[in-house]
Amino acid sequence: MAKILNYGSLNIDYVYDVPHFVKAGETLSSTSRNIFAGGKGLNQSVALSRAGGDVYHAGAVGKDDSKILTQVLSEDKIDFSNIALRDCPSGHTIIQVDSKGQNCIILYGGANQTITEADIDATLSKFDAGDFMVLQNETSNIRYMIEKASAKGLKVCFNVSPFTDELLKLPLEKCAYLIVNEIEGAAMAGVSEDCDPYELLDKLCVKFPKTSFVLTLGSRGSILKEVGADPISCRAFKVNAVDTTAAGDTFLGYLICNIATDMNRALAIKAATAASALAVQVKGATPSIPRAKDVMEFIKKSNQEVLTDRL
């Protein structure tokens, strides 16, 4: 089995339940507050592991507040020997979750922004060609990570979120997989955001001919377009959402793990979609990420056919 290195963010999530998102000048009472281990990187590592991957997490955390983060990694049997301890706070977020289960997030980078080239070199020395590396745009030195990992033969899977104009200056053509939503994909392709998703994928593949794409479409589903293969589309399962915080990270972790283990691609994207459907029905980030056996049981019980030629 290929190793999966996630060079990713680790955040402490402060989650507040509110009747609606706070408005400018408004003071709003929260009905509850919960503290979770989170961050796109940590969420994706947990999803990768619960999907069945051989997962290694690298990154940086604060010496004084990191226990909640490393404890989750340990519980999910994720190797965290490549996480550096810093004399600064760990990254953290303030998350509002409204009555409809939607969320908005304030992010503070903290230790996630202290990763050095020396850290990256030391970590990559432990991995080989054919292994996978997962990235999100929440840490420092992304360019160096992509260049060094791709030169070594790792398959770089970059979740281009949160999206910034600076991201377009990165060597994205060296990534094996780019995971984008419609807005991110449109910015990368230079087209309008209402572009047909299949037309958008065509333009992205012309611009990055050696890169495979995962295009996420929210409640409509997603499309996987690998180099040299026809696109595979997957409609979303219809469920009652409670909290969408880690839904995208759950989907990505499951899909990349399924690809890394060479699962049939139609089943790979279907299982990832089912995993995200289960995740939105549970509050919190990592607590909401399901186990592989629960995902497969959900698929068996569902009468919904999600795989289609076109969405």
Side-chain angles (χ1 to χ4, degrees):
M1 181 188 297
K3 293 180 181 178
I4 305 175
L5 167 64
N6 185 358
Y7 224 128
S9 56
L10 301 114
N11 295 325
I12 301 170
D13 292 338
Y14 298 90
V15 183
Y16 298 83
D17 287 324
V18 292
H20 59 264
F21 297 149
V22 67
K23 301 173 184 177
E26 178 183 23
T27 299
L28 184 64
S29 294
S30 172
T31 56
S32 69
R33 186 191 82 155
N34 291 287
I35 302 175
F36 300 107
K40 294 184 72 64
L42 184 142
N43 295 342
Q44 290 173 15
S45 279
V46 171
L48 286 159
S49 179
R50 292 182 186 175
D54 181 19
V55 186
Y56 300 74
H57 195 107
V61 292
K63 288 181 179 178
D64 298 329
D65 60 3
S66 61
K67 186 176 180 180
I68 186 176
L69 301 170
T70 56
Q71 181 176 338
V72 168
L73 294 173
S74 177
E75 289 172 352
D76 276 281
K77 298 179 173 57
I78 297 165
D79 185 299
F80 59 93
S81 59
N82 296 295
I83 292 179
L85 296 176
R86 304 296 200 219
D87 290 318
C88 66
S90 296
H92 72 256
T93 62
I94 296 174
I95 303 175
Q96 299 178 60
V97 180
D98 71 10
S99 59
K100 297 179 182 178
Q102 297 299 308
N103 65 72
C104 62
I105 301 171
I106 298 174
L107 171 65
Y108 171 70
N112 295 313
Q113 297 299 319
T114 68
I115 298 170
T116 67
E117 293 183 1
D119 293 330
I120 297 164
D121 288 339
T123 296
L124 288 177
S125 69
K126 303 170 187 177
F127 296 85
D128 301 307
D131 289 337
F132 283 67
M133 183 169 77
V134 178
L135 301 175
Q136 319 81 36
N137 194 28
E138 290 188 342
T139 61
S140 55
N141 270 316
I142 295 291
R143 173 183 292 277
Y144 193 80
M145 291 178 187
I146 293 174
E147 290 176 341
K148 289 296 180 177
S150 61
K152 193 168 184 177
L154 276 73
K155 298 178 182 179
V156 179
C157 308
F158 186 20
N159 179 199
V160 297
S161 178
F163 189 85
T164 64
D165 290 338
E166 289 299 309
L167 186 145
L168 296 174
K169 300 176 183 178
L170 296 175
L172 301 178
E173 71 282 354
K174 296 183 179 181
C175 296
Y177 289 85
L178 288 172
I179 300 91
V180 303
N181 62 28
E182 288 175 285
I183 296 173
E184 295 158 351
M188 290 169 61
V191 299
S192 65
E193 294 177 8
D194 59 356
C195 179
D196 175 82
Y198 295 92
E199 181 181 344
L200 172 57
L201 278 172
D202 287 342
K203 291 184 179 301
L204 287 170
C205 291
V206 169
K207 189 170 183 179
F208 302 96
K210 296 181 180 180
T211 300
S212 298
F213 282 88
V214 180
L215 178 62
T216 60
L217 304 168
S219 60
R220 285 180 291 158
S222 59
I223 309 170
L224 170 64
K225 176 65 176 75
E226 293 188 295
V227 175
D230 293 331
I232 300 175
S233 308
C234 189
R235 295 190 187 280
F237 288 90
K238 292 180 172 61
V239 296
N240 293 320
V242 173
D243 182 357
T244 61
T245 302
D249 297 330
T250 299
F251 171 85
L252 185 148
Y254 263 81
L255 183 59
I256 296 303
C257 176
N258 294 343
I259 290 172
T261 54
D262 204 26
M263 182 183 290
N264 170 276
R265 296 305 193 254
L267 179 58
I269 193 170
K270 185 174 185 177
T273 303
S276 64
L278 287 172
V280 300
Q281 298 179 70
V282 180
K283 286 189 176 183
T286 54
S288 73
I289 300 171
R291 305 282 177 179
K293 62 181 179 61
D294 297 320
V295 172
M296 292 307 173
E297 188 64 27
F298 176 77
I299 291 174
K300 289 178 182 178
K301 290 181 179 180
S302 175
N303 294 320
Q304 182 176 333
E305 178 57 47
V306 297
L307 293 172
T308 62
D309 292 330
R310 292 180 69 89
L311 292 173

